[in-house]
């Protein structure tokens, strides 16, 4: 698959300010993404990128810092025949404290300077890659700049987590929308930029095959496993305030559920897609605090071994309290109370230091209604299953029954596999490439609208509150390298089902 821009359309002239320019996200994800867009011919003809932060960097030192990030984290490294040199000429740094209102005049000056250099007014994008506590303050100060009132040219990108709970998310929305029009606000969830996630819409709505059976009449249950092998990796300060529910479920996992469960959009307009997704969020059953134990399981990793290496327990991680109640694992059974999905459970689990790095969505169909084959074939008679591997594997597998070659009617389950690597040449773009390009082009389809974020918080709030009310008594309760606590197995086993792990091809 080619990431090259072959159709010669580029976003309009752009000036991108990155608050948190000196931070991890910019070095690891944003700058590599911008450089890849540049290499592939997607950056605007005229663009400037300005990193902001309190750290004292010269332009040169800042570029070197980004270059190091590209060397370490990007899918394409280094100079690339002089392209880095060319790209880096578009990059600069402004040392400023985001809390110092007077310093914002530097931004206004920079806009004027770039405007003169470009000979036109560029789109001005403020990317807030800073800790969530800083976002309101920076947004208010930006909002006071005249240029932010320009709803056509100016946009603000807000990283996750968006708020800490429903109340703070609501307040942040109120604040942002008092400064900016909704169209100017891009609430980012990087899962929505993943190719394999975007492909769910293509799979479901560009094919006539699946939609007629995509409902409670044919689907037994759905499950999502989002497992990471990494621990909190020095992010203890952030993670202590977050935990798996806020870090992964409230945003990424609920968005995956939306993609899998939404109704067909009438068109591909941003608000149409968002409306269909918000319908799913609003229909997700709000369990009461007292019911939480029956629907949700939490876990925290102990010290142990991961593939031969000794790893710390969560409570021994930097900036983590010795008796921390923070969950590094969550498994939840959701229901969507609507016509399409009534009584179809959606099991999700996510966690750190698990057995494998994998995100897969499994759609388990019901057994065929009548079995007409010889009794001996019944043992291998399996219902159909569609497995969408989001990462790191990128494929879709449809399991169905086949007749095993031979003189007897013996059934065996086989997989029909669509694999990105085999189907397309080259690399797929990283999520941040896709989403940054969307922001520059002014396409908010894959970004969260205010009501979507709040609806998502409403779904997880009872669980958050119940867990805060009743601190865990058994933490740590799973070993690194496992699939999480035993209770997570019980959550699904109680319903006579089991978690699907890696979709290994069926070979008999
Ligand atoms: N890192 C990642 O992979 C991901 C991060 N995110 C989100 O991105 C955001 C940033 O995360 P991350 O980059 O990891 O965090 P870091 O701690 O690495 O970076 C924080 C940035 O904020 C800047 N900053 C802090 N205080 C001020 C201030 N008063 N004025 C101006 N700048 C300030 C720091 O710059 P300086 O110290 O120079 O002032 C630094 O550049 C968070 O919301 C996080 O949740 C989301 C997904 C993934
Ligand atoms: O947003 C986050 O996502 C990462 C996982 O992202 P992925 O693209 O590698 O699946 C997670 O590690 C992090 O804790 C969380 O903040």
């Amino acid at each position: 698959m080619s990431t090259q821009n072959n159709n010669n359309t580029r976003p309009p002239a752009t000036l991108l300010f990155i608050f948190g320019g000196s931070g991890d996200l910019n070095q690891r994800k944003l700058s590599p993404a911008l450089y890849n867009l540049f290499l592939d011919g997607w950056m605007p003809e005229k663009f400037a990128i300005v990193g902001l932060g309190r750290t004292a960097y010269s332009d040169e030192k800042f570029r070197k810092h980004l270059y190091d990030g590209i060397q370490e984290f990007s899918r394409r490294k280094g100079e690339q025949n002089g392209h880095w040199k060319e790209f880096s000429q578009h990059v600069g740094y402004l040392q400023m404290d985001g809390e110092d209102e007077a310093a914002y005049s530097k931004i206004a000056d920079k806009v004027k300077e770039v405007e003169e250099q470009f000979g036109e007014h560029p789109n001005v994008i403020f990317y807030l890659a800073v800790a969530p506590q800083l976002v309101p303050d920076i947004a208010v100060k930006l909002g006071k700049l005249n240029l932010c009132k320009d709803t056509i040219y100016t946009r603000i990108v807000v990283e996750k987590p968006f708020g800490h709970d429903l109340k703070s998310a609501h307040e942040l929305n109120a604040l942002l929308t008092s400064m900016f029009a909704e169209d100017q606000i891009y609430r980012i969830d990087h899962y929505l930029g993943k190719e394999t996630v975007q492909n769910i819409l293509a799979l479901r709505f560009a094919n006539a095959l699946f939609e007629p059976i995509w409902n409670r009449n044919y689907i037994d249950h759905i499950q999502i496993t989002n497992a990471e092998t990494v621990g909190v990796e020095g992010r203890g300060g952030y993670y202590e305030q977050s935990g798996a529910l806020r870090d992964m479920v409230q945003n990424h996992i609920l968005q995956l559920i939306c993609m899998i469960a939404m109704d067909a959009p009438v068109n591909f307009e941003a608000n149409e897609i968002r409306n269909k997704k918000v319908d799913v969020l609003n229909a997700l059953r709000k369990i009461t605090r007292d019911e939480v134990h029956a629907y949700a399981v939490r876990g925290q990793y102990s010290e142990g071994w991961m593939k031969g290496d000794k790893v710390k327990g969560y409570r021994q991680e930097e900036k983590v309290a010795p008796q921390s109640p923070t969950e590094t694992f969550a498994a939840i059974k959701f229901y969507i109370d609507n016509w399409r999905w009534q009584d179809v459970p959606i099991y999700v689990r996510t966690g750190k230091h698990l057995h494998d790095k994998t995100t897969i969505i499994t759609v388990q169909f019901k057994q065929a209604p009548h079995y007409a084959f010889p009794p001996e074939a019944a043992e291998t008679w399996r219902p159909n299953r569609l497995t969408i591997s989001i990462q790191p594997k990128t494929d879709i597998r449809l399991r169905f029954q086949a007749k095993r070659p031979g003189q007897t009617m013996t059934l065996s389950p086989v997989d029909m596999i669509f694999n990105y690597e085999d189907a397309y040449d080259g690399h797929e773009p990283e999520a941040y490439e896709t989403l940054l390009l969307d922001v520059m082009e002014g396409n908010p389809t894959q970004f969260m609208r205010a009501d979507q974020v709040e609806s998502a918080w409403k779904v997880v709030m009872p669980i958050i509150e119940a867990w805060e009310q009743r601190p865990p008594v058994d933490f740590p309760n799973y070993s690194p390298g496992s699939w999480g606590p035993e209770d997570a197995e019980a959550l699904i086993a109680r319903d006579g089902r089991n978690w699907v792990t890696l979709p290994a091809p069926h070979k008999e």
Side-chain angles (χ1 to χ4, degrees):
M1 85 210 76
S2 171
T3 52
Q4 283 291 331
N5 180 4
N6 295 321
N7 63 8
N8 259 340
T9 53
R10 288 166 181 254
T14 298
L15 167 56
L16 170 63
F17 289 101
I18 304 178
F19 282 83
S22 49
D24 180 75
L25 179 65
N26 187 31
Q27 197 198 30
R28 189 188 288 267
K29 298 280 188 193
L30 304 182
S31 290
L34 290 162
Y35 185 42
N36 279 325
L37 286 172
F38 179 76
L39 292 173
D40 288 335
W42 286 107
M43 286 303 280
E45 299 282 353
K46 297 174 187 172
F47 73 94
I49 300 167
V50 181
L52 299 130
R54 295 162 305 174
T55 306
Y57 278 126
S58 62
D59 285 349
E60 252 342 289
K61 272 202 169 153
F62 183 59
R63 290 170 189 156
K64 169 78 174 63
H65 168 74
L66 300 188
Y67 185 80
D68 291 346
I70 282 157
Q71 291 299 82
E72 192 172 348
F73 304 116
S74 181
R75 65 188 161 89
R76 274 183 300 207
K77 317 279 174 205
E79 284 295 338
Q80 304 279 339
N81 298 327
H83 282 107
W84 168 256
K85 197 157 183 240
E86 196 187 334
F87 174 80
S88 67
Q89 296 311 305
H90 296 261
V91 179
Y93 185 76
L94 264 187
Q95 185 184 4
M96 67 173 264
D97 184 340
E99 294 180 281
D100 171 12
E101 191 157 345
Y104 283 71
S105 61
K106 290 188 195 177
I107 293 180
D109 293 346
K110 189 73 192 175
V111 174
K112 270 197 206 129
E113 179 194 316
V114 168
E115 205 171 7
E116 273 167 30
Q117 183 196 335
F118 288 1
E120 62 181 302
H121 187 60
N123 281 339
V124 181
I125 298 167
F126 296 105
Y127 198 120
L128 272 46
V130 292
Q133 312 81 276
L134 267 180
V135 169
D137 204 18
I138 294 178
V140 166
K141 293 184 168 76
L142 282 175
K144 290 183 185 165
L145 295 176
N146 257 339
L147 68 118
C148 289
K149 299 185 176 59
D150 188 333
T151 55
I152 309 266
Y153 289 107
T154 309
R155 285 162 213 158
I156 180 166
V157 185
V158 185
E159 260 298 338
K160 68 159 273 270
F162 192 91
H164 182 70
D165 51 19
L166 176 60
K167 183 170 174 286
S168 56
H170 181 72
E171 285 164 5
L172 183 55
N173 272 330
L175 186 137
L176 288 174
T177 48
S178 70
M179 301 280 165
F180 302 90
E182 179 62 36
D183 287 356
Q184 293 177 275
I185 306 168
Y186 287 69
R187 299 172 191 81
I188 201 162
D189 180 320
H190 78 275
Y191 268 54
L192 295 178
K194 291 181 191 275
E195 278 294 321
T196 43
V197 173
Q198 297 198 346
N199 187 46
I200 296 171
L201 294 191
L203 175 82
R204 292 192 52 206
F205 303 128
N207 298 294
L209 188 62
F210 299 107
E211 204 42 28
I213 53 170
W214 209 258
N215 57 50
R216 67 196 164 90
N217 296 324
Y218 295 92
I219 292 178
D220 175 75
H221 76 278
I222 293 172
Q223 46 176 282
I224 300 177
T225 290
N226 174 281
E228 295 187 88
T229 47
V230 291
V232 296
E233 315 284 299
R235 292 171 75 210
Y238 155 74
Y239 205 82
E240 276 287 87
Q241 305 303 314
S242 168
L245 258 188
R246 289 184 167 95
D247 190 46
M248 297 297 294
V249 179
Q250 187 273 341
N251 32 70
H252 307 322
I253 300 242
L254 288 185
Q255 285 308 306
L256 292 180
I257 293 181
C258 288
M259 300 292 272
I260 279 291
M262 66 191 260
D263 279 345
V266 174
N267 56 43
F268 221 67
E269 296 294 312
N271 273 332
E272 170 63 7
I273 304 270
R274 291 154 141 196
N275 288 343
K276 292 292 190 289
K277 285 185 181 174
V278 95
D279 281 349
V280 174
L281 292 170
N282 289 338
L284 273 163
R285 190 176 298 170
K286 315 292 177 300
I287 47 182
T288 66
R289 278 191 229 172
D290 292 337
E291 291 169 327
V292 164
H293 66 279
Y295 289 87
V297 166
R298 57 184 151 168
Q300 188 191 74
Y301 60 82
S302 61
E303 64 177 356
W305 296 86
M306 292 282 301
K307 299 200 172 25
D309 291 329
K310 181 129 180 75
V311 298
K312 290 182 197 163
Y314 176 70
R315 289 176 173 181
Q316 285 78 53
E317 300 275 9
E318 214 181 304
K319 298 190 191 147
V320 170
Q323 295 303 318
S324 171
T326 304
E327 79 285 354
T328 58
F329 176 97
I332 302 162
K333 175 164 70 163
F334 289 110
Y335 282 101
I336 301 172
D337 290 329
N338 68 10
W339 193 272
R340 185 195 283 263
W341 293 116
Q342 197 63 48
D343 295 331
V344 177
I346 302 179
Y347 302 94
V348 306
R349 59 177 175 167
T350 182
K352 301 235 179 243
H353 268 339
L354 295 182
H355 188 268
D356 265 310
K357 164 88 179 160
T358 180
T359 304
I360 55 171
I361 303 174
T362 306
V363 180
Q364 178 69 63
F365 290 91
K366 291 184 175 172
Q367 189 63 283
H370 172 65
Y371 180 76
F373 298 91
E376 57 274 20
E379 216 172 280
T380 51
W381 191 42
R382 302 270 182 278
N384 298 116
R385 186 165 83 190
L386 186 73
T387 309
I388 304 171
S389 294
I390 302 292
Q391 62 182 19
K393 268 190 182 197
T394 50
D395 61 30
I396 298 179
R397 289 156 193 256
L398 179 62
R399 180 174 78 181
F400 61 96
Q401 293 296 130
K403 177 186 175 298
R404 214 187 157 100
Q407 302 309 337
T408 54
M409 176 49 86
T410 314
L411 300 178
S412 84
V414 291
D415 277 337
M416 201 150 63
I417 303 176
F418 153 68
N419 184 325
Y420 279 74
E421 272 171 34
D422 296 342
Y424 306 105
D425 290 332
H427 285 282
E428 55 197 87
E430 293 282 331
Y432 276 100
E433 290 168 42
T434 305
L435 296 173
L436 279 161
L437 184 59
D438 281 347
V439 182
M440 291 190 282
E441 286 176 339
N443 178 2
T445 310
Q446 302 299 346
F447 293 79
M448 310 281 288
R449 211 171 50 190
D451 56 336
Q452 274 177 291
V453 180
E454 291 185 28
S455 295
W457 276 116
K458 280 181 197 154
V459 173
V460 295
M461 278 322 290
I463 309 175
I464 289 177
E465 285 162 2
W467 285 357
E468 280 173 2
Q469 220 170 44
R470 295 185 204 102
V473 287
D474 60 346
F475 275 10
N477 62 353
Y478 72 94
S479 304
S482 69
W483 282 107
E486 276 175 17
D487 284 355
E489 302 298 326
L491 178 79
I492 191 165
R494 275 201 296 273
D495 298 344
R497 302 181 175 108
N498 56 281
W499 293 107
V500 176
T501 50
L502 283 181
H506 297 283
K507 278 234 166 79
E508 310 251 317

